Amino acid sequence: MKLPTEAEPIMSIDLLDAPLRVTWELYTEETPLSTKNALRVADALAAAGVFFVTLEERPLLHRGFGEVVQALISEGCQVQVLCEGTEQELLALKPALPLAALWLNVGDLVTAGGVDRAGLDRLLEQVRKSGYDPALLLVPNRNNLLKIPEFLELCRSRGVGRIKLPNTKIDDSFCPFAAERLIRPQDLESLRLKLGENPSACRQGLSLEVHDLFLWELFFPEGGEGRSEYGGCQAGNSLAHVDRLGELYPCSSWPVKLGSLLDQDLEDLWQTEERFAVRRQIAAIPVGCEGCRDYSLCMGGCRGLGRTLNQPGGGRDPLCPGPRRLSDNP
């Protein structure tokens, strides 16, 4: 996206390269927004023409959940909801909610010890009884990475068609322990060996969405379509994130506040120097990517994780082992 100069008109949100997708931590046990303030945030998102809103953490437990969903969909937003699978959430899951998708976070069911098949079966049965066809979300980390092929096979056998492997979030809950669990390049090599000569087979019949390019390459070695929304870092362009207090960020992996949606309109925050500074950083080649033959395809990967967690690697995506030279094997 070209950044405006003083002599150029500022691009409005509805003229972005792709529809703006927002993740929003609607509910946490620590100081959730009141229903009144949550509706103020919902109105700000709807007024800006945001097309996709994903309500995260445990949004079903927010007292104003139904009102927030209605406020968003009444203005044309497609609402997705993340569910952690707790008993409280499942009791709050009412049938026939007008959701674009219901995502089940199964991070507790896929560990280094394997996949909790009985636990996953119980969760799927409960959600399906409520009338939903759930999709599954698993944040890859060092503990569960090598269990992903087993997890995908189980999804296929249980009739789950849609799976997402998103990037790690960096928010106020992020801690050194979480950093220690981040995937390293050598972990990807272990997964590559585990997948064998036909890695595409493990995703056969599944709609698999993989956020990080370097992990995606292992499951999609033939390339292909389906990564248009990940064409370079989209933080502060077609991605944004709202935390539990209503603060706006470029994305959930870029911990720089742009301002509060309780105080300013999203359109105004989108035209601030803070947001333009983010896009300028993304437009610049990270030091750790200089000379890479594939930079035009990768664009540095996840730039939020790179700048925050991979300064020793020159700010490139933490899953990247280093620049690929022309002399390297493709």
Side-chain angles (χ1 to χ4, degrees):
M1 174 181 172
K2 182 181 178 182
L3 298 177
T5 66
E6 292 183 0
E8 294 175 322
I10 295 176
M11 179 177 285
S12 62
I13 285 179
D14 60 353
L15 294 178
L16 290 174
D17 297 335
L20 183 59
R21 293 172 289 134
V22 175
T23 52
W24 177 11
E25 297 173 351
L26 177 61
Y27 177 86
T28 61
E29 291 183 353
E30 296 182 20
T31 322
L33 287 177
S34 65
T35 297
K36 178 181 177 180
N37 282 338
L39 288 172
R40 287 173 62 188
V41 172
D43 289 342
L45 296 175
V50 173
F51 194 59
F52 296 99
V53 177
T54 300
L55 303 177
E56 296 186 337
E57 298 302 326
R58 289 178 289 168
L60 288 161
L61 300 186
H62 195 283
R63 291 182 178 180
F65 171 77
E67 293 177 74
V68 168
V69 170
Q70 185 57 43
L72 291 169
I73 65 169
S74 65
E75 296 298 327
C77 293
Q78 293 194 23
V79 178
Q80 303 183 79
V81 168
L82 183 62
C83 175
E84 303 288 337
T86 65
E87 183 177 354
Q88 286 180 300
E89 289 174 287
L90 295 175
L91 288 174
L93 184 60
K94 305 301 182 184
L97 291 172
L99 305 179
L102 177 68
W103 292 96
L104 298 179
N105 185 353
V106 295
D108 291 339
L109 301 178
V110 185
T111 65
V115 182
D116 182 353
R117 294 172 176 250
L120 181 59
D121 285 342
R122 285 195 299 271
L123 183 57
L124 290 174
E125 181 182 9
Q126 288 176 288
V127 172
R128 285 168 172 164
K129 281 184 177 179
S130 296
Y132 296 92
D133 183 18
L136 302 186
L137 179 145
L138 176 68
V139 179
N141 59 50
R142 293 183 64 193
N143 287 344
N144 63 32
L145 184 66
L146 296 183
K147 299 302 178 181
I148 290 179
E150 177 187 347
F151 168 64
L152 294 179
E153 174 57 36
L154 183 61
C155 289
R156 182 165 35 247
S157 68
R158 299 306 192 264
V160 176
R162 189 177 179 189
I163 301 98
K164 180 186 292 188
L165 305 179
N167 272 358
T168 298
K169 291 199 309 182
I170 304 179
D171 55 19
D172 56 8
S173 68
F174 193 82
C175 59
F177 173 73
E180 292 173 1
R181 297 178 65 181
L182 287 174
I183 299 170
R184 305 165 301 178
Q186 55 264 45
D187 299 320
L188 288 186
E189 177 61 17
S190 297
L191 177 60
R192 185 187 68 80
L193 294 174
K194 186 177 182 65
L195 291 173
E197 296 183 358
N198 187 19
S200 301
C202 75
R203 61 176 174 81
Q204 184 176 1
L206 300 173
S207 174
L208 178 63
E209 180 181 344
V210 184
H211 196 129
D212 193 275
L213 172 67
F214 301 95
L215 182 57
W216 177 85
E217 286 180 329
L218 297 185
F219 291 103
F220 296 81
E222 72 284 1
E225 303 296 327
R227 281 194 66 82
S228 59
E229 63 188 66
Y230 297 122
C233 180
Q234 292 297 310
N237 186 39
S238 65
L239 285 180
H241 177 69
V242 181
D243 73 5
R244 61 186 174 85
L245 299 177
E247 296 282 350
L248 183 70
Y249 294 77
C251 87
S252 61
S253 297
W254 194 299
V256 173
K257 293 181 182 179
L258 302 179
S260 174
L261 290 177
L262 296 177
D263 300 325
Q264 292 178 268
D265 292 337
L266 196 155
E267 295 100 320
D268 293 336
L269 294 176
W270 220 241
Q271 296 170 4
T272 59
E273 171 57 28
E274 288 79 7
R275 183 225 163 207
F276 292 147
V278 168
R279 294 309 301 171
R280 283 195 294 270
Q281 290 182 56
I282 293 170
I285 300 176
V287 173
C289 297
E290 291 178 352
C292 181
R293 67 159 195 246
D294 288 339
Y295 182 75
S296 62
L297 301 175
C298 164
M299 307 299 289
C302 180
R303 302 291 291 276
L305 291 179
R307 69 184 290 277
T308 308
L309 302 173
N310 194 26
Q311 288 303 316
R316 66 175 179 268
D317 189 303
L319 272 65
C320 177
R324 299 172 181 178
R325 309 300 179 182
L326 291 175
S327 57
D328 295 340
N329 291 326

